[in-house]
Amino acid sequence: MSVSRVVELEGHIIDSGMMEAAFSIVMDHGGSFDVEEFDIGRQKDQESYAKMLVTAEDEETLQRIVHDLHQRGANPADPNDAQLEEAPEDQVVPHGFYSTTNHPTQIRYDGEWVEVEDIEMDCAVIVEADESADNDAGVRAYTKVLNAIEEGDRIVTGDAGIRVQPPERPRGQEGAFGFMQGGISSERPSESTIEQIAEAIEETKREDGNVLVVAGPALIHSGAREDLARLVENGYVDGLSIGNGFAVHDIERDLYGTSLGVNTETLDHARHGHKHHIYAISEIIREGGIEEAVESGKLESGVMYQCVENDVPYVIAGSIRDDGPLPDTITDAVEAQNAIREQARDADMVLMLSTLLHSVAVGNCLPSTTRVVCVDINPATVTQLLDRGSAQAVGMVTDIGTFVPILAENLLEEGAVELDD
Amino acid sequence: MSVSRVVELEGHIIDSGMMEAAFSIVMDHGGSFDVEEFDIGRQKDQESYAKMLVTAEDEETLQRIVHDLHQRGANPADPNDAQLEEAPEDQVVPHGFYSTTNHPTQIRYDGEWVEVEDIEMDCAVIVEADESADNDAGVRAYTKVLNAIEEGDRIVTGDAGIRVQPPERPRGQEGAFGFMQGGISSERPSESTIEQIAEAIEETKREDGNVLVVAGPALIHSGAREDLARLVENGYVDGLSIGNGFAVHDIERDLYGTSLGVNTETLDHARHGHKHHIYAISEIIREGGIEEAVESGKLESGVMYQCVENDVPYVIAGSIRDDGPLPDTITDAVEAQNAIREQARDADMVLMLSTLLHSVAVGNCLPSTTRVVCVDINPATVTQLLDRGSAQAVGMVTDIGTFVPILAENLLEEGAVELDD
Amino acid sequence: MSVSRVVELEGHIIDSGMMEAAFSIVMDHGGSFDVEEFDIGRQKDQESYAKMLVTAEDEETLQRIVHDLHQRGANPADPNDAQLEEAPEDQVVPHGFYSTTNHPTQIRYDGEWVEVEDIEMDCAVIVEADESADNDAGVRAYTKVLNAIEEGDRIVTGDAGIRVQPPERPRGQEGAFGFMQGGISSERPSESTIEQIAEAIEETKREDGNVLVVAGPALIHSGAREDLARLVENGYVDGLSIGNGFAVHDIERDLYGTSLGVNTETLDHARHGHKHHIYAISEIIREGGIEEAVESGKLESGVMYQCVENDVPYVIAGSIRDDGPLPDTITDAVEAQNAIREQARDADMVLMLSTLLHSVAVGNCLPSTTRVVCVDINPATVTQLLDRGSAQAVGMVTDIGTFVPILAENLLEEGAVELDD
Amino acid sequence: MSVSRVVELEGHIIDSGMMEAAFSIVMDHGGSFDVEEFDIGRQKDQESYAKMLVTAEDEETLQRIVHDLHQRGANPADPNDAQLEEAPEDQVVPHGFYSTTNHPTQIRYDGEWVEVEDIEMDCAVIVEADESADNDAGVRAYTKVLNAIEEGDRIVTGDAGIRVQPPERPRGQEGAFGFMQGGISSERPSESTIEQIAEAIEETKREDGNVLVVAGPALIHSGAREDLARLVENGYVDGLSIGNGFAVHDIERDLYGTSLGVNTETLDHARHGHKHHIYAISEIIREGGIEEAVESGKLESGVMYQCVENDVPYVIAGSIRDDGPLPDTITDAVEAQNAIREQARDADMVLMLSTLLHSVAVGNCLPSTTRVVCVDINPATVTQLLDRGSAQAVGMVTDIGTFVPILAENLLEEGAVELDD
């Protein structure tokens, strides 16, 4: 005896691939479907609507189908309220808790759909009473990572009463962001691609958007430090997310003129060059920190310097391969994640430059609606970073040592004036 | 007016490349040399000796040359004692402190050469009085990383009175370790190379050596978990150095039969599979930790399980990309480094399997005399890991998902009995 | 004043992504559409039908849309016959000739749809009278590459009267081929994936299918030669497509026990080892060719030997980096392509093993309906090879030196008997 | 009973690594040595001399040692004349023929050392009487590849009477070429490295050197076509070695404004874009060839156009993955190799840009004394190309689409004037 359930799809369900995905899911699980209503959006600005009766052989298969459909944005036609259960202890979630996607999500409470705040992958959803909430249900819903769960938190469990809305590719969009749907290709013209990334940055800034730069030490070694510093100085960077190594090599360049012991201009190896990074750390420890070193006049140039001078906030997240570390480095991974989470939530556009570790850490905290540009010379890194369901993401396989200078040239020659307004 | 100094080279100075390096250094800095004595080791078991007068235009250049020669094992002929200076504050080293290489090192104290204990790259050398020391000088010398420096520590500064001995390639060595000097090649026959790695592991075990395995989560995803677990069970692994992700996916496989939501045998995607890793974390938190989960019978198989059952110590080092993390994960990077440092010092042989981050962290703590095998599918990772001056290191560009099963087959079919003695 | 045209879509138009692609094309070109009929296939074995009125601002835009739709399988509702024009000279096509995709294609002649034979990418379609053709139109249609065009050939031009049918992903298919839709992942369990490839090969053989192996010299260097030879000996390989280097190194191993001068079992470097490949070539030249060398007893083992002994046809295609070359190598690229084309047309399944050049050459000649397995340690190679619209293609990023032995173990332990029947 | 032989080493035998290599060879084969004379070059401009008695257990081992020493430049102290034997048939070499290295080589004839002309790897050495030769022996010695051997050619066999001189790293060399000994690093500052490559090109041109560019189609797709065309136009390129694909995509860009169907400036996909490359081929066939297309005004821009206009000779070598091919493409691999061989012999400096196949083909024909710059985004490609014993070679892992524009900017802003003199 088979069982059935009605699900609904709304939006650009065909041109976003949602319809195709839904059909695939049903068939892959051996179920069948009957399209009871289908109202097609015939123009690019019209949404479609479909109502589909899904049938499976047993309840377990049906639930599996409905769960998977749900993840792709097909929602049960007659939803119930979300189920809530209390956390039995700190850091301990109820069995069967709902683990979030990175897509915009609503949960149903007292018959009303409530937006989940701070959406982020692999979190629990907490619901708490909040009279000031701008919904009739009088509750707030928001995400918490496992280690932040507190005893008594009311946590959503099961699949009922949850609505997920994967972002659609912006269709026919004019301007720079239209370009940011392109995936990755190492065979794309490099200079033109950088130009379009520059335009997307300018557009983000014109809309008062917040640009977060995530960068690895290869950026410094490859000689792009001065150009990134100029971008910070000229207001194109609203936040910096890095590791101890990036900061150390940036500072080494200021104090000793080298990066990894190599003079990045003359390519000469300096005497004692291999010691410079450890000396740089020791000098900053002596000063008490990066800000103190800028204030005392010890540190006079570079990316960190410009961040301090221009009040651009930075997070230096520690890792087990760090030397030192610098006093400014957050050595606890959970604390560092929390600091990164704040940065990620503020960002409208994220540039991930030559770092896998920090890019993944930032990417983990991003909703699928944030614009992402990912640049690395290793195609596997770019692929891994882009594969997160972002609606507007572009990857470029190129040399960070030539990318940043050309990007800076594009931005600083054309865009600087507008920004300074 | 030029200045000169006499330096000496001892050992297999020609076939280790030391002589060539010395000549290059002098010439690269624009100096000249006069070989005053040269006693060549004419047989493979004889050492050579050379005495060389190095001349440069000015004192600064001469010091630069002598410094670089020193790093390569050429030592001043008439050494002074090492200079010592006190650390002015916690974590603050004196200016011009001597930063270590990873090669065996001695410092001269009261005219006597004292071995530096726990040698490791980028550290300071601390000298402290120790009546029980087995040298007439009555002192111990040992390394400290920057963040462990305490006010008042007596720290070696400058270059004087320090002797570095880069290990030589073992020449004409019989057996498995002779093979471990081969660098990397992706064009080497794969099965034969794995056989030789197996032999080197067996030889290490026969010599009562300690084998440390450093592994990344790709090992689990690629289906090699069961074979690594068998190696732990059969005594081939004396320590495990991993991250939170490795442990989580190993446990996910036990609890849900999947890795990253995929059944590693049938390749099926499980219902809710993408949630399994977060559920696995939450279950272990509920139990209180991995050991507790093994004791309670919750966790019944896999690498972590076998470690607990066989008393193989593990370090789970946290990182900013972790989910959870597990209660066993050391989230503070400095603490985690210290735990890794202990593992590294105990190891006679290190297998680095499909992880860049953890391999670098372990590698940072290794002296250049420890045997290293590095396996990754990305040639750049293998190159980066091998490029650390190890005397016995071999890299293999291969698929970890086929490497571990073939290695296990080699070890468990032939070597197990001997081990169990 | 806008212009319109009606197009039709038939088949699994939603779950194959055809519908989504069609909507995207119209919108991307700034057109609009009106879905006049939409009959949805509600079960997995039912086809759908859609009739769509496409409108654009001018005739040029409309044609561009219709052209692009056409490439994706949407065909004009009221087709005309295909236009034919004669080739003015040898190798010279008429302006605006129709250049093929690799999908099954029909052209309309005298109101009847005629299947294009030997479909292959980037070819012209020739139509010639053929009374024996099994269609009422009395014509054959088939592809020709540019260099094969002869003066007077009647060639299809424009887009009218051409129907393209991109293959759909086989849905819900049981057994081994169901697995072959998976794309690439370096995080898939390796041994299980190889098992499934083995099953797909066995299924192909059970269906009397033809398996073509395309292999590069890395296969020999990595020590997989003996296992591939066993697969040839046991009937799993129906054709071999290689370059001069593969054959040379296979023969070097027989004559001198080395590959690139290295003994693939002991890993020893042989005396004069670096000369072995050039000596191997010279020996075969002396014999007159590979077959002659087998007959004379000079060549006694390996892949080429087994091909000769078991009448497995091979094509050795020359390239500008060849040493020698061997007498059997086809040095002219056009001739070699023609030989490869014959192999490709006969193949039901193609294994592409560690060669980009030869895999691309074979891939260029394959229709999108042939099954393809692509194995390489470089992810970029696998991506490039899979990116050709094949309906059943699977890529695996692994070490060929462990892949072939494990594949052989799977096939020869389980499948050999059945094959020998 | 052991056997011995005296060998001599001359030159910068220590700082070139020759001495170390020699010791290693003897020991690796289980032999022993006695250094009978050792006269060390104490200054950078003095050569050293060593005389070494090598002893082994049996004649076979001794010969193996002497052979390997010989390959590294250690020559027997009392040389005999080279042995000569006639080729029995066309393309058939005598057994035991001497197969060349790519290092400068001399053979001993009638007691006199005769330089081998056109030295190149893996060739036979032919000796023929030549009264006009500028040596007393009255002979010429030169290389022939296997397929060029003619019956009766007198061919060097064995190891006797052959002297190989591996080039030494130029020591302490001033200027741009001093930089070209650096190997590869992906962590070198990119812009500074490109500047130094530009300087090395300028220096080559100032010395009336010949610059050969070897380029792959990725250069066109990545948008660097216009800048390479400008370098041709301004006299920086003396020869071009490419494949059919490079020429096709260069021409496609002129005729249709696209590369692989993509407009390299706007990044738009053109209507029918995927057909453009096949149309481009067909247009050039119609014209009769590239030169004809330039003359008729059909082809008006790009790299091929500038080559024709500026009389820069090019070789278009065919391959089995070619479409078309163009009438100018040499489809026979042996003929193409011969054409490439001429280019390689003329070159003083070779730029290998984003092509493995053509770079290997050119590299095969180069003596180890030619300067080589190798640029690719894949580190494995760069490693493979540099690993050929060149004395002056530099590799750069970067994006060709940013490399060429920055190189052109460096050369055309500073160097153009001098060149035009």
Side-chain angles (χ1 to χ4, degrees), chain A residues 348-387:
Chain A
D348 297 288
M349 183 168 186
V350 179
L351 304 186
M352 298 174 169
L353 307 180
S354 284
T355 166
L356 182 58
L357 177 61
H358 292 270
S359 298
V360 168
V362 171
N364 280 347
C365 302
L366 291 177
S368 62
T369 45
T370 307
R371 291 165 200 141
V372 173
V373 172
C374 171
V375 179
D376 205 286
I377 202 154
N378 183 349
T381 298
V382 178
T383 304
Q384 183 178 343
L385 291 175
L386 278 212
D387 189 21

Side-chain angles (χ1 to χ4, degrees), chain C residues 99-166:
Chain C
S99 172
T100 52
T101 68
N102 62 354
H103 301 310
T105 300
Q106 298 171 310
I107 60 109
R108 199 164 181 273
Y109 188 90
D110 258 1
E112 196 182 353
W113 289 105
V114 178
E115 193 72 29
V116 177
E117 299 168 25
D118 294 330
I119 192 70
E120 174 188 333
M121 234 183 299
D122 294 332
C123 289
V125 176
I126 312 294
V127 178
E128 70 183 25
D130 182 350
E131 305 255 319
S132 69
D134 61 350
N135 54 51
D136 296 337
V139 293
R140 282 181 63 217
Y142 58 96
T143 56
K144 267 195 182 179
V145 290
L146 286 196
N147 62 56
I149 300 290
E150 288 165 286
E151 188 183 328
D153 277 347
R154 291 204 300 160
I155 293 179
V156 176
T157 59
D159 287 332
I162 303 165
R163 207 152 71 176
V164 174
Q165 292 164 308

